[in-house]
Amino acid sequence: MRARTTLLAALAASLLLAAAAEAQAPRSFRVISPIFSQLVAFTMPSHFAAVFENTNGGHYIREAVLKGETPERWTQMITVTGEKGMTLTPGSSPEMFAGTIAGGFKSACPDSFAARPLGETRFGRFEGFIAVIGCGRIDSGPTRHSETALLITLKGASDYYTIQWAERGPESDEPPVNDISWQARLRDLNPIDLCPIVSGEAAPYPSCVNRN
């Protein structure tokens, strides 16, 4: 009886420690990355982990998926991209850049494409545009599925950037672009900021952290 009581007490203690550790785990963390001419900063939910990063000429991309998922098989993905020197393109704007990306989605699913513009905005002194775009049926990936994304475009000092939070789900006639969850995810990513790269400053880039 004594041994059983001790065992139960130990089990209860371990469960309490596990619960305390889970309660103390941060729900999100600040991500600050030097991408071409500026630092790109936003909030990343802690259940995401980076799985891919690449710079190819003037194009940068980094992908993060839910922990335990892969770049090939995922249900949610947060992607950050950079386009070097794009502000020099005549007539460029965050809205037009978002339209170009939306056009890529539409070409993949012309019969089930949908978009919901959330409008122009500013991140500090930098212009931005927000939309929700998606495909009800798309064949990329292991099976046919829907794919919808919160799309944020930012016009930096020299470069353009995007932050995208995508989700895959069952195929449908129309993607869930009007779902209220996209507004919640936008709040989860904030604050979003572009900061100067300070010579000699190393991660975690306090000059950008201290701006918020």
Side-chain angles (χ1 to χ4, degrees):
M1 184 67 179
R2 172 66 177 173
R4 183 180 178 186
T5 303
T6 303
L7 179 60
L8 289 173
L11 179 60
S14 64
L15 290 174
L16 286 171
L17 287 172
E22 183 175 351
Q24 292 170 7
R27 297 181 60 187
S28 61
F29 57 95
R30 188 79 162 148
V31 176
I32 305 175
S33 304
I35 304 175
F36 300 129
S37 65
Q38 288 179 279
L39 299 171
V40 179
F42 66 98
T43 302
M44 176 86 79
S46 60
H47 53 291
F48 280 82
V51 290
F52 178 78
E53 183 177 31
N54 185 54
T55 301
N56 184 7
H59 176 71
Y60 171 88
I61 184 169
R62 185 179 71 248
E63 297 172 341
V65 299
L66 295 176
K67 291 179 179 178
E69 297 185 347
T70 69
E72 295 75 30
R73 291 180 175 271
W74 54 270
T75 56
Q76 293 187 53
M77 176 181 285
I78 296 177
T79 304
V80 182
T81 71
E83 300 296 335
K84 188 175 183 179
M86 190 176 168
T87 60
L88 300 177
T89 303
S92 65
S93 71
E95 183 174 0
M96 290 187 66
F97 189 27
T100 300
I101 296 171
F105 262 72
K106 188 174 183 179
S107 66
C109 60
D111 298 328
S112 63
F113 173 79
R116 178 191 172 202
L118 300 184
E120 298 177 354
T121 188
R122 298 192 75 86
F123 298 96
R125 64 186 182 88
F126 296 101
E127 299 174 25
F129 188 83
I130 304 172
V132 182
I133 60 177
C135 289
R137 289 181 297 275
I138 194 167
D139 290 322
S140 67
T143 59
R144 178 176 284 193
H145 57 273
S146 65
E147 189 166 319
T148 313
L150 172 68
L151 170 63
I152 302 164
T153 58
L154 302 96
K155 181 180 180 180
S158 301
D159 315 311
Y160 267 78
Y161 304 97
T162 76
I163 302 172
Q164 304 171 49
W165 189 332
E167 181 172 19
R168 288 175 172 174
E171 64 175 298
S172 61
D173 292 334
E174 184 173 311
V177 295
N178 294 309
D179 196 285
I180 60 173
S181 65
W182 300 110
Q183 292 283 3
R185 288 172 180 172
L186 178 59
R187 290 192 297 270
D188 289 343
L189 292 171
N190 275 297
I192 297 169
D193 204 359
L194 299 180
C195 310
I197 295 177
V198 178
S199 178
E201 184 182 49
Y205 305 106
S207 64
C208 197
V209 173
N210 294 338
R211 291 162 64 94
N212 299 294

